[in-house]
């Protein structure tokens, strides 16, 4: 299976409440067969001599296992209810797009899996307890393990109570989203599809594109509507190399496409039959929503959404928005130091194979991170000053003139917006002071590079 589809499958499993509990339940059922098998081979006759081991008869075994199984289902139901309440709170406070982050919380999945696995284990052991006198059988080892699982479940319950309360704290949520954003940057930049064009050959890449590319190319259209979640880059390069094609990718991950809209162009058209066109289209993974698998802007939008909600008149929480700006600041500093892949991708023989028509640039990330916060926080002095401070912090990390131009553009926009949103003169002076610092830092960064 293609790597992009494997990534989507893993993301779907990791974002579900059923996968980890199901795996744990299967492991618990396997453990029950192992312990029961050991008991049936009479290899645990001496277990009754151990003070900490279970050594009662059939009736006591049934009572203990029934009590454990019943309590585990009750606790699992309560834990699931608490989780649903946390999801509702997160949706209303932080935004519905952050629900995936809470559903991907391995801690919650492990807690639910522990309770369900303990229930399944006890149920399987309970069926083997035989109280008939001539054929009496009590799996002492299996019951002892069941008691151990029940004690472990108590510890897991204590952890769950703390984890549920801590997971909805705004600082922890913002930090978690920021960590995911850093991981996305590490994964995507630099992203190599074949061999990227060097700065010396960037201008020459345009000469390698056939003059009649648009006229003699064939469009590859989307089979259904949805968001582009990922593009299998390796598969795309392999297809282009094997069939001696030049492909131009028209859309990037995160974009919404409708059925029949153009995803790619293939040159020359006569080499692309229906079967090959379907194979190329399959390299694009579509879904009902955006994911961070190859979509950096989605991860940025999550922080922006928290900040935008905090700046709404009904909430009016600039401190939360400032924390979001701080995380965006750190992420953009990280991104500014990364190599932005060339839109022209070559194979091992230095032949142009793939062109990315709409690549993600640093300026796009800056726009995504700052535009809405700047617009919603125009009347907030604290937000305005923190945006300018963030721009001044990011500037020394930039190494491309286009990146510094984007920072200067946003600094100017923030400064102009302050004249419309801020009325107090002393506040305007504070904003102007930070604007001048940001401009000076950008100029110094430009002179050093």
């Amino acid at each position: 299976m293609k790597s992009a589809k494997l990534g989507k499958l893993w993301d779907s499993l990791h974002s579900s409440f059923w996968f980890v509990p199901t795996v744990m339940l299967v492991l618990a059922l396997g453990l029950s067969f192992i312990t029961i098998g050991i008991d049936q081979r009479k290899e645990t006759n001496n277990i009754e001599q151990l003070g900490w081991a279970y050594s009662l008869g059939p009736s006591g075994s049934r009572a203990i296992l029934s009590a454990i199984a019943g309590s585990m289902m009750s606790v699992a139901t309560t834990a699931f209810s608490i989780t649903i309440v946390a999801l509702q709170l997160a949706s209303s406070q932080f935004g519905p797009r952050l629900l995936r982050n809470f559903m991907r919380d391995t801690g919650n999945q492990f807690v639910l899996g522990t309770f369900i696995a303990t229930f399944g284990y006890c149920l399987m052991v309970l069926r083997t307890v035989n109280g008939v006198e001539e054929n009496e059988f009590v799996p002492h080892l299996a019951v002892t393990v069941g008691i151990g699982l029940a004690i472990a479940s108590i510890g897991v319950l204590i952890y769950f109570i703390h984890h549920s309360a801590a997971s909805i704290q705004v600082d922890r949520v913002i930090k978690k989203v920021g960590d995911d954003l850093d991981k996305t940057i590490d994964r995507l930049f630099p992203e190599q599809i074949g061999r990227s064009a060097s700065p010396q050959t960037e201008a020459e890449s345009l000469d390698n594109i056939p003059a009649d590319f648009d006229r003699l190319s064939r469009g590859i259209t989307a089979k259904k509507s949805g968001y582009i979640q990922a593009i299998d880059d390796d598969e795309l390069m392999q297809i282009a190399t094997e069939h001696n094609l030049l492909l131009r990718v028209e859309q990037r991950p995160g974009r919404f496409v409708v059925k029949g809209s153009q995803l790619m162009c293939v040159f020359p058209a006569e080499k692309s039959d229906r079967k090959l066109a379907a194979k190329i289209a399959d390299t694009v993974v579509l879904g009902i929503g955006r994911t961070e698998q190859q979509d950096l802007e989605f991860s940025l939008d999550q922080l922006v959404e928290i900040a935008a909600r905090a700046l709404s008149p009904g909430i009016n929480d600039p401190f939360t928005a400032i924390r979001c700006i701080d995380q965006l600041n750190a992420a953009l500093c990280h991104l500014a130091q990364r190599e932005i892949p060339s839109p022209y991708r070559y194979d091992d023989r230095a032949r142009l194979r793939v062109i990315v028509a709409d690549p993600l640039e640093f300026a796009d990330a800056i726009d995504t991170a700052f535009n809405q916060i700047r617009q919603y926080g125009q009347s907030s002095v604290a937000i305005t000053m923190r945006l300018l401070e963030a721009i001044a912090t990011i500037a020394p990390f930039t190494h491309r003139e286009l990146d510094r131009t984007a920072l200067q553009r946003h600094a100017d926009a923030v400064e102009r917006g302050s004249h419309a949103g801020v009325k107090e003169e002393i506040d305007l002076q504070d904003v102007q002071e930070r604007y001048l610092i940001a401009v000076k830092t950008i100029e110094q960064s430009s002179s050093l590079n």
Side-chain angles (χ1 to χ4, degrees):
M1 187 181 290
K2 301 178 180 66
S3 59
K5 292 186 177 180
L6 281 174
K8 179 184 178 181
L9 176 61
W10 170 245
D11 184 73
S12 300
L13 294 176
H14 190 42
S15 303
S16 66
F17 274 143
W18 65 266
F19 178 66
V20 171
T22 299
V23 171
M24 296 180 67
L25 176 60
V26 171
L27 293 176
L29 296 181
L31 178 62
S32 69
F33 287 120
I34 293 173
T35 54
I36 293 171
I38 295 174
D39 280 310
Q40 288 175 340
R41 289 196 295 269
K42 305 298 183 181
E43 295 179 5
T44 57
N45 290 337
N46 296 328
I47 194 173
E48 300 179 16
Q49 301 177 5
L50 301 176
W52 51 268
Y54 176 82
S55 58
L56 298 180
S59 58
S61 300
R62 291 196 188 95
I64 289 179
L65 292 173
S66 299
I68 295 174
S71 61
M72 286 302 104
M73 286 307 296
S74 299
V75 173
T77 303
T78 303
F80 186 75
S81 300
I82 294 174
T83 302
I84 295 300
V85 171
L87 291 176
Q88 292 176 338
L89 180 62
S91 177
S92 61
Q93 184 174 355
F94 305 120
R97 271 145 296 280
L98 267 77
L99 287 181
R100 291 182 71 257
N101 297 58
F102 286 86
M103 292 186 67
R104 292 175 62 191
D105 191 327
T106 307
N108 289 338
Q109 297 173 8
F110 176 77
V111 168
L112 294 174
T114 299
F115 297 147
I116 295 173
T118 302
F119 168 79
Y121 176 88
C122 292
L123 201 62
M124 294 300 292
V125 175
L126 183 61
R127 68 183 179 86
T128 64
V129 179
N130 192 347
V132 179
E133 184 175 351
E134 60 273 12
N135 195 24
E136 182 179 295
F137 175 70
V138 178
H140 295 289
L141 176 61
V143 176
T144 302
V145 172
I147 295 173
L149 290 175
I151 295 173
S153 298
I154 296 174
V156 170
L157 177 61
I158 296 173
Y159 159 79
F160 177 71
I161 294 172
H162 167 77
H163 182 71
S164 297
S167 64
I168 59 176
Q169 294 177 9
V170 64
D171 290 339
R172 185 181 292 266
V173 173
I174 293 174
K175 182 63 169 62
K176 180 64 168 60
V177 177
D179 291 342
D180 291 342
L181 179 55
D182 285 336
K183 292 177 182 177
T184 302
I185 293 173
D186 289 334
R187 186 173 62 252
L188 297 181
F189 298 95
E191 183 178 19
Q192 297 181 0
I193 310 175
R195 180 176 61 83
S196 297
S198 65
Q200 291 77 15
T201 62
E202 190 76 20
E204 299 174 3
S205 298
L206 294 175
D207 297 332
N208 293 330
I209 302 176
D212 52 357
F213 180 92
D214 292 327
R215 183 171 60 88
L216 299 180
S217 61
R218 173 183 179 178
I220 304 297
T221 58
K223 298 178 181 179
K224 62 179 181 179
S225 299
Y227 288 94
I228 298 179
Q229 296 181 337
I231 299 176
D232 197 323
D233 309 322
D234 296 332
E235 180 72 11
L236 201 61
M237 176 58 70
Q238 184 178 350
I239 293 174
T241 303
E242 288 179 355
H243 296 85
N244 193 24
L245 301 174
L246 176 58
L247 305 176
R248 185 173 68 192
V249 182
E250 303 290 348
Q251 309 283 352
R252 70 170 182 243
R255 295 285 189 257
F256 181 82
V257 296
V258 298
K259 182 179 180 180
S261 61
Q262 190 160 285
L263 297 175
M264 300 183 196
C265 288
V266 182
F267 178 90
E270 61 268 15
K271 290 187 177 182
S272 175
D273 54 19
R274 181 176 298 180
K275 182 178 180 180
L276 182 58
K279 188 176 181 181
I280 294 174
D282 285 340
T283 63
V284 180
V285 179
L286 299 176
I288 61 174
R290 298 170 65 183
T291 69
E292 68 277 4
Q293 185 178 351
Q294 291 185 5
D295 185 4
L296 177 65
E297 290 177 306
F298 175 72
S299 299
L300 293 170
D301 282 338
Q302 289 183 313
L303 286 172
V304 172
E305 182 173 9
I306 298 175
R309 284 177 174 267
L311 292 173
S312 64
I315 298 179
N316 193 23
D317 180 13
F319 297 102
T320 296
I322 287 174
R323 284 169 172 77
C324 292
I325 295 173
D326 292 340
Q327 284 294 329
L328 290 168
N329 180 12
L332 291 171
C333 289
H334 187 188
L335 178 62
Q337 303 173 71
R338 289 306 179 106
E339 178 73 20
I340 302 297
S342 169
Y344 306 101
R345 315 298 168 84
Y346 292 80
D347 62 14
D348 295 334
R349 297 182 179 181
R351 293 180 180 177
L352 183 62
R353 293 301 183 190
V354 178
I355 306 170
V356 181
D358 185 27
L360 177 68
E361 302 288 349
F362 181 80
D364 299 322
I366 287 285
D367 291 342
T368 301
F370 286 163
N371 273 343
Q372 293 191 55
I373 298 178
R374 171 176 55 80
Q375 293 160 4
Y376 291 128
Q378 192 175 63
S379 60
S380 173
V381 179
I383 297 299
T384 301
M385 291 193 298
R386 187 54 65 94
L387 284 173
L388 291 171
E389 290 169 355
I391 292 172
T393 303
I394 297 168
F397 291 92
T398 58
H399 300 281
R400 295 171 289 267
E401 191 60 35
L402 288 175
D403 299 349
R404 288 185 285 272
T405 301
L407 289 176
Q408 181 66 57
R409 177 166 54 84
H410 277 277
D412 294 340
V414 172
E415 194 271 339
R416 287 194 302 270
S418 66
H419 292 286
V422 180
K423 304 301 181 183
E424 183 62 41
E425 184 64 29
I426 189 173
D427 293 332
L428 287 173
Q429 291 177 1
D430 291 337
V431 172
Q432 189 67 22
E433 178 183 345
R434 284 162 177 78
Y435 169 72
L436 294 175
I437 293 174
V439 171
K440 182 178 179 180
T441 306
I442 294 172
E443 293 175 350
Q444 290 176 344
S445 302
S446 181
S447 62
L448 292 175
N449 291 275

